[in-house]
């Protein structure tokens, strides 16, 4: 005997399995109480329905992706999976869950009815959980296990090692899934690298005038397919319209709305999406061009076009280093030594005439031997193993220092030297310091006095770090240097510490103009009217952001 199901029963059954159907049939609203609609978000339909086990998305800002990520995670938990939802820091978790996740739950009774435990870091959905975790420390990941890992703002995660730790928490799952997405950062890094290794889905738009089908890009780019060359649709900056890459007719909002996803490499294992504001029918060509004028090129590429960007004026690569190699002997006076204490320890030695030695060692005796051989001024990174560096600094007072990273928010300069009980401490703005070291290479102010073939490991490690931007919670943009996932970049930091040591060794030498703000007071204040330090800030600053 056959049993006929009603349309309502079919819809209910489908919604149990499909996040897209669940959202559609329940008429959910977003965190601003606005109904969720797909008319202008047709590009999101396939993403909502996609159950691929490894999804990556490089995306622009303001395209509705956060709402998808939240609802998809709730539906996954409702369907019997534990979800780990990772964000860059605990502060970001707080600023994400309270204004976005919680209103989505409370504004939709059918979601609220299945959420029993409800805190900032934990949501119980049915008999499964969503863990909201910050990426500052791997301690956030060690105590949990999951079936699905969501990494939001992948490129802004402060440590790739922590990302790997989160990933390891899926090992016990029989059907692990990964969803990683972000505004991209540097070319070939972070989400851009993941997308490049994917099937590379593109939103294909058809010109109503000539039938040419291709994706939108800002510039009219040529694409070679076999013996044929075709061109992408583009933003015509003179006519202020979206234009066809072949016939140059205007691409309508309807055409952009009604595109379809097609994979460039359909046989690859990873699913990758690229979402740009140029796909969004509510974003006009005029608005795209306004944002280009209002923002830096880096921000425009990352947050408007959803494309990776590396500024050519701050790239340190093989070519950059080749141009500053001048082998030869240097007088070993006022020698500076920088030591990154990640094991194996990485050290760099230099003078005002350039860097003349470098290496790696596990031995603190070797570090001490080299320091004494050259009577060097030394600056250490005290993390992640502070006991030995602090003992070394105590032993060699006046010629050994600890460097803590502290963002300069008051334009005091790159460095702020401690006084009193903190006389052996220097506080450095991490981004500004690395900017300086990179710029001095580009400007050929800091030379390598070794043979080029001796610098292969230095080149490799400089190419493992890149400069990008991130949007803070208040909407402001800041620059930051980030390590590529799973890569080592200790030489750049050892050189940065050497550069600080050189500043100290040279005292008031003219080279110090590059590293300090001449008009600033360089003491870190904590309570004293004269601006001096009377309390030990080391324990406070050790907790500051540090991923060298």
């Amino acid at each position: 005997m056959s049993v006929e199901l009603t349309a309502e029963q079919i819809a209910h059954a489908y919604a149990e399995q499909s996040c897209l159907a669940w959202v559609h049939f329940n008429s959910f609203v977003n965190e601003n109480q606005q109904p969720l609609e797909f008319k202008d978000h047709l590009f999101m339909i396939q993403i909502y329905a996609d159950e691929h086990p490894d999804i990556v998305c490089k995306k622009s800002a303001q395209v509705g992706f956060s709402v998808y990520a939240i609802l998809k995670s709730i539906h996954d938990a409702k369907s019997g999976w534990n979800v780990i939802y990772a964000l860059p820091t605990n502060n970001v978790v707080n600023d994400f869950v309270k204004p976005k996740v919680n209103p989505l739950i409370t504004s939709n009774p059918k979601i609220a009815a299945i959420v029993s435990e409800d805190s900032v870091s934990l949501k119980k959905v049915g008999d499964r959980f969503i863990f909201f975790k910050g990426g500052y420390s791997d301690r956030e990941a060690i105590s949990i296990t999951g079936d699905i890992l969501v990494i939001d703002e992948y490129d802004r995660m402060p440590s790739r090692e922590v990302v790997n730790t989160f990933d390891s928490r899926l090992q016990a799952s029989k059907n692990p899934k990964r969803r990683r997405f972000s505004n991209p950062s540097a070319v070939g890094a972070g989400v851009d690298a993941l997308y490049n290794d994917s099937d590379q889905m593109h939103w294909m738009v058809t010109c109503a005038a000539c039938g040419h089908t291709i994706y939108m890009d800002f510039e009219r780019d040529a694409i070679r397919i076999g013996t044929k060359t075709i061109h992408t649709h583009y933003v015509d900056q003179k006519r202020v319209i979206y234009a066809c890459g072949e016939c140059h007719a205007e691409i309508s909002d309807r055409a952009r709305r009604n595109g379809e996803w097609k994979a460039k490499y359909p046989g690859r294992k990873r699913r990758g999406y690229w979402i740009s504001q140029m796909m969004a029918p509510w974003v006009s060509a005029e608005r795209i061009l306004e944002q280009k004028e209002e923002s830096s090129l880096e921000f425009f590429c990352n947050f408007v076009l959803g494309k990776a960007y590396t500024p050519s004026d701050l790239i340190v690569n093989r070519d950059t280093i080749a141009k500053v190699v001048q082998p030869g002997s240097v007088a070993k006076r006022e020698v500076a030594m920088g030591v990154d204490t990640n094991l194996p320890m990485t050290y760099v030695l230099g003078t005002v005439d350039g860097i003349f030695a470098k290496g790696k060692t596990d031995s603190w005796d070797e570090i001490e031997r080299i320091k004494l051989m050259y009577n060097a001024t030394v600056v250490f990174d005290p993390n992640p193993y502070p006991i030995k560096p602090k003992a070394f600094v105590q032993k060699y007072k006046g010629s050994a220092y600890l460097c803590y990273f502290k963002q300069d928010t008051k334009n005091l300069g790159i460095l702020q030297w401690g006084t009193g009980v903190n006389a052996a401490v220097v506080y450095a703005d991490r981004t500004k310091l690395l900017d300086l070291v990179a710029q001095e290479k580009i400007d050929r102010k800091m030379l390598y006095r070794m043979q080029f073939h001796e610098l292969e490991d230095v080149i490799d490690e400089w190419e493992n770090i890149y400069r990008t931007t991130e949007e803070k919670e208040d909407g402001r943009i800041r620059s930051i240097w980030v390590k590529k996932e799973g890569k080592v970049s200790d030489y750049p930091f050892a050189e940065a510490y050497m550069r600080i040591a050189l500043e100290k060794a040279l005292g008031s030498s003219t080279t110090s103009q590059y590293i300090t703000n001449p008009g600033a007071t360089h003491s870190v204040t904590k309570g004293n009217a004269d601006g001096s330090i009377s309390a030990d800030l080391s324990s406070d600053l050790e907790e500051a952001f540090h991923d060298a």
Side-chain angles (χ1 to χ4, degrees):
M1 181 178 66
S2 62
V3 178
E4 293 188 4
L5 300 177
T6 66
E8 183 178 357
Q9 289 172 323
I10 293 173
H12 177 75
Y14 185 37
E16 287 298 308
Q17 299 299 318
S18 166
C19 178
L20 176 63
W22 179 63
V23 171
H24 174 71
F25 288 121
N26 286 294
S27 302
F28 291 144
V29 298
N30 64 21
E31 73 274 21
N32 298 316
Q33 310 296 312
Q34 298 299 313
L36 291 177
E37 54 81 23
F38 289 102
K39 178 183 177 182
D40 284 338
H41 292 79
L42 292 179
F43 57 85
M44 290 300 299
I45 288 179
Q46 178 172 315
I47 298 174
Y48 267 87
D50 199 336
E51 295 297 334
H52 195 284
D54 186 2
I55 295 175
V56 60
C57 180
K58 63 174 186 176
K59 66 182 187 67
S60 62
Q62 305 302 316
V63 290
F65 205 88
S66 292
V67 173
Y68 150 78
I70 297 166
L71 290 175
K72 184 72 169 175
S73 297
I74 294 173
H75 187 267
D76 285 335
K78 185 178 83 73
S79 301
W81 309 102
N82 286 321
V83 180
I84 301 170
Y85 199 115
L87 290 141
T89 68
N90 286 331
N91 285 339
V92 176
V93 169
N94 189 67
D95 293 339
F96 179 76
V97 172
K98 287 185 176 180
K100 290 183 177 292
V101 179
N102 289 350
L104 266 176
I105 294 172
T106 58
S107 300
N108 293 285
K110 290 190 178 180
I111 297 178
I114 60 175
V115 177
S116 55
E117 292 185 27
D118 190 355
S119 67
V120 170
S121 61
L122 181 68
K123 309 291 184 188
K124 185 176 183 182
V125 182
D127 61 354
R128 292 295 183 268
F129 296 92
I130 304 175
F131 304 93
F132 290 94
K133 294 293 183 179
Y136 180 77
S137 168
D138 57 6
R139 289 175 299 188
E140 290 288 319
I142 289 174
S143 62
I144 59 176
T145 59
D147 303 290
I148 297 172
L149 174 63
V150 179
I151 302 183
D152 194 340
E153 290 304 335
Y154 181 84
D155 282 40
R156 276 79 199 175
M157 295 295 284
S159 169
R160 294 303 177 218
E161 289 77 10
V162 174
V163 169
N164 294 336
T165 302
F166 277 120
D167 196 85
S168 71
R169 310 317 295 167
L170 303 184
Q171 290 180 358
S173 178
K174 294 181 179 179
N175 297 290
K177 293 184 178 181
R178 296 166 178 84
R179 291 195 289 273
R180 293 165 285 188
F181 50 92
S182 183
N183 306 120
S185 51
V187 174
V191 74
D192 188 58
L194 295 176
Y195 178 81
N196 290 342
D197 195 38
S198 75
D199 59 4
Q200 295 187 24
M201 286 283 184
H202 288 73
W203 186 247
M204 307 296 279
V205 174
T206 300
C207 172
C210 71
H212 176 51
T213 300
I214 195 63
Y215 57 89
M216 303 293 310
D217 210 339
F218 185 69
E219 303 283 353
R220 180 175 178 260
D221 288 340
I223 303 172
R224 190 79 172 172
I225 302 177
T227 60
K228 184 180 180 182
T229 299
I230 62 174
H231 295 86
T232 62
H233 301 320
Y234 65 103
V235 178
D236 188 319
Q237 299 185 54
K238 291 182 178 179
R239 294 187 289 166
V240 194
I241 62 170
Y242 294 105
C244 173
E246 296 301 329
C247 75
H248 306 287
E250 183 172 3
I251 297 292
S252 67
D253 293 347
R254 180 178 181 179
R256 290 187 297 129
R257 177 186 291 112
N258 293 323
E260 63 176 331
W261 288 109
K262 286 191 177 179
K264 184 176 181 180
Y265 303 105
R268 292 185 177 175
K269 293 181 178 180
R270 177 176 294 140
R271 175 64 43 75
Y273 293 98
W274 166 37
I275 300 179
S276 164
Q277 287 189 13
M278 295 178 294
M279 295 161 45
W282 67 89
V283 181
S284 65
E286 180 181 14
R287 180 56 188 148
I288 294 290
L289 293 173
E290 285 175 352
Q291 291 181 89
K292 182 176 182 291
E293 293 301 316
E294 294 167 357
S295 55
S296 67
L297 181 57
E298 190 171 10
F299 178 87
F300 179 68
C301 289
N302 294 167
F303 291 87
V304 178
L305 304 184
K307 299 180 72 173
Y309 172 77
T310 300
S312 59
D313 59 342
L314 271 179
I315 296 176
V316 177
N317 55 21
R318 178 175 293 273
D319 291 338
T320 310
I321 291 176
K323 292 175 182 177
V324 290
V325 174
Q326 291 187 16
S329 60
V330 298
K332 307 303 191 294
R333 296 190 299 269
E334 296 176 323
V335 172
M337 182 177 184
V339 182
D340 186 291
T341 58
N342 281 322
L343 295 176
M345 291 180 287
T346 301
Y347 63 87
V348 171
L349 292 118
T351 71
V352 70
D353 295 318
I355 295 170
F356 64 85
K358 53 84 180 177
K360 292 181 181 281
T361 180
D362 290 324
S363 170
W364 277 95
D365 289 340
E366 178 68 3
I367 295 294
E368 186 172 26
R369 184 189 69 80
I370 296 171
K371 182 257 190 293
L372 295 174
M373 177 188 299
Y374 296 107
N375 191 28
T377 300
V378 189
V379 171
F380 292 99
D381 159 24
N383 295 316
Y385 311 109
I387 295 176
K388 286 291 184 69
K390 287 182 176 180
F392 197 104
V393 167
Q394 183 68 22
K395 183 175 182 179
Y396 292 102
K397 290 182 179 179
S399 64
Y401 302 87
L402 300 174
C403 176
Y404 294 94
F405 288 136
K406 180 175 185 285
Q407 187 179 3
D408 173 30
T409 59
K410 298 181 180 180
N411 196 31
L412 298 176
I414 298 175
L415 301 183
Q416 299 170 61
W417 290 96
T419 60
V421 296
N422 281 320
V425 174
V426 58
Y427 309 105
D429 185 298
R430 181 181 185 275
T431 297
K432 292 180 180 179
L433 178 61
L434 288 171
D435 282 355
L436 169 79
V437 175
Q439 195 63 54
E440 286 187 340
K441 294 187 190 306
I442 294 163
D443 295 341
R444 304 185 188 184
K445 292 177 179 176
M446 180 57 70
L447 306 176
Y448 290 99
R449 307 312 296 266
M450 296 173 282
Q451 297 294 329
F452 185 69
H453 68 83
E454 298 178 275
L455 297 170
E456 288 296 335
D457 52 352
V458 175
I459 294 168
D460 287 345
E461 294 193 18
W462 266 107
E463 292 183 340
N464 289 339
I465 190 169
Y466 61 92
R467 191 178 189 272
T468 186
T469 57
E470 67 176 7
E471 185 174 13
K472 299 176 71 176
E473 292 82 358
D474 59 7
R476 291 182 296 172
I477 305 301
R478 74 166 184 172
S479 297
I480 187 172
W481 286 81
V482 179
K483 293 191 295 184
K484 292 183 179 179
E485 182 177 0
K487 301 293 185 179
V488 175
S489 59
D490 294 337
Y491 271 118
F493 287 94
E495 289 187 24
Y497 303 135
M498 186 279 295
R499 184 62 182 82
I500 297 172
L502 186 60
E503 172 80 5
K504 194 66 173 178
L506 294 172
S508 60
S509 170
T510 55
T511 61
S512 64
Q513 65 181 301
Y514 298 120
I515 201 164
T516 56
N517 181 345
T521 300
H522 299 298
S523 295
V524 177
T525 62
K526 188 171 182 179
N528 288 356
D530 65 356
S532 63
I533 299 174
S534 60
D536 189 345
L537 301 181
S538 300
S539 59
D540 296 335
L541 291 168
E542 282 184 41
E543 297 175 3
F545 174 72
H546 180 95
D547 67 357

